Amino acid sequence: MPTIAEFAIPAHEFALSKTLEHRPDITINIDRVVAHNTTQVVPFVRVTQGEVDGLTEVLENDPSVEEVELFGETDDERFYRLVWNETAQIIGHMINEHAATIQEATAANGEWQLRVLFPDRDALSATNEFAKENDIAFTLKKIYGPENFETARHNLTEAQYETLAVGVENGYYEVPREITTQGLSDELGISHQALSERHRRAMKSLVVSALATVDEENDEAPKPESAARQSP
């Protein structure tokens, strides 16, 4: 069964460590990545935040980078095609040896955060073993199936997701409500107090997730010229 894993890798054991040292305020996002072989990885990256002037030269002097091509820029963003050498071999290994898909990869503050879709759990285990054999600090944070992606993305437990879903199905969020709090707790087979606590935590996770999304959209929007999993 396909498996999605979220994990972290220190930049000094992966790629662009020197770039992040010289420009600690920038954020690097991989928009697309191609691995021609295990030791040569070609990511297309978007660099945001911080100081981007002169960044091309910084990238050219990064030991993990073999080639740099600037193919787009705005006042506060740069778009690059890079060629990484064997320091990024774990990405080439995942793509070429295990048919993995890099869904998201972001570097900031000296660390890479990745979300990767593996064809099965064995491919993830093999990648973990590869990291150990090559002394790469591969820190797993979350593992889940694609059917649970939305829950994981909003940092909801399965119980919290079920509570919200059952609430929507029964009109709990309609105005006026079509089911009482007691009726919803009976529907879920839990106590009134348990429902209240579960609902409060679920709503907090949704609000935090929504605010983070708004911040990201604001960061990515063109600027005018004048300007851990919880318990149920």
Side-chain angles (χ1 to χ4, degrees):
M1 176 182 293
T3 299
I4 296 172
E6 294 182 9
F7 54 90
I9 303 177
H12 68 270
E13 296 183 8
F14 181 46
L16 302 183
S17 174
K18 293 300 180 182
T19 297
L20 292 168
E21 285 181 14
H22 284 90
R23 298 293 174 89
D25 295 331
I26 66 171
T27 297
I28 302 170
N29 300 280
I30 293 182
D31 290 330
R32 183 164 62 91
V33 60
V34 177
H36 295 302
N37 51 56
T38 301
T39 59
Q40 191 177 58
V41 176
V42 182
F44 292 79
V45 305
R46 175 168 45 90
V47 182
T48 63
Q49 311 292 336
E51 179 58 57
V52 294
D53 289 341
L55 181 61
T56 300
E57 184 178 357
V58 175
L59 286 166
E60 289 173 340
N61 292 324
D62 192 300
S64 67
V65 178
E66 292 185 353
E67 296 178 23
V68 179
E69 177 187 354
L70 174 64
F71 64 89
E73 61 183 298
T74 65
D75 289 341
D76 53 5
E77 288 186 329
R78 295 291 186 274
F79 302 89
Y80 289 96
R81 172 190 174 274
L82 305 177
V83 177
W84 287 341
N85 57 29
E86 68 278 356
T87 59
Q89 61 182 317
I90 190 168
I91 292 291
H93 179 80
M94 286 189 290
I95 294 174
N96 286 304
E97 301 297 326
H98 301 295
T101 300
I102 312 302
Q103 294 189 322
E104 185 175 310
T106 302
N109 302 316
E111 185 176 69
W112 281 88
Q113 302 284 339
L114 297 97
R115 186 176 72 237
V116 181
L117 172 63
F118 292 92
D120 51 46
R121 187 63 70 92
D122 289 343
L124 171 58
S125 298
T127 299
N128 195 25
E129 286 302 314
F130 179 85
K132 291 179 181 178
E133 292 169 2
N134 290 275
D135 298 320
I136 300 170
F138 182 91
T139 306
L140 281 171
K141 294 190 171 183
K142 289 183 181 179
I143 302 174
Y144 46 91
E147 69 277 4
N148 295 323
F149 174 65
E150 285 300 317
T151 0
R153 184 165 69 90
H154 294 298
N155 201 30
L156 296 170
T157 66
E158 292 183 10
Q160 290 167 1
Y161 182 84
E162 179 191 18
T163 297
L164 296 177
V166 172
V168 170
E169 290 171 1
N170 287 273
Y172 183 74
Y173 303 103
E174 298 295 330
V175 180
R177 284 179 174 169
E178 297 174 2
I179 187 174
T180 64
T181 301
Q182 185 60 54
L184 183 59
S185 63
D186 291 343
E187 188 74 23
L188 290 163
I190 59 177
S191 68
H192 186 283
Q193 181 179 353
L195 171 64
S196 176
E197 292 177 358
R198 186 184 296 179
H199 189 261
R200 185 171 63 252
R201 289 171 177 159
M203 294 305 294
K204 178 181 177 181
S205 293
L206 286 180
V207 170
V208 170
S209 177
L211 290 175
T213 300
V214 169
D215 288 342
E216 289 173 2
E217 290 175 349
N218 288 340
D219 289 340
E220 294 174 1
K223 303 294 189 300
E225 294 183 359
S226 59
R229 300 180 64 84
Q230 303 172 14
S231 61

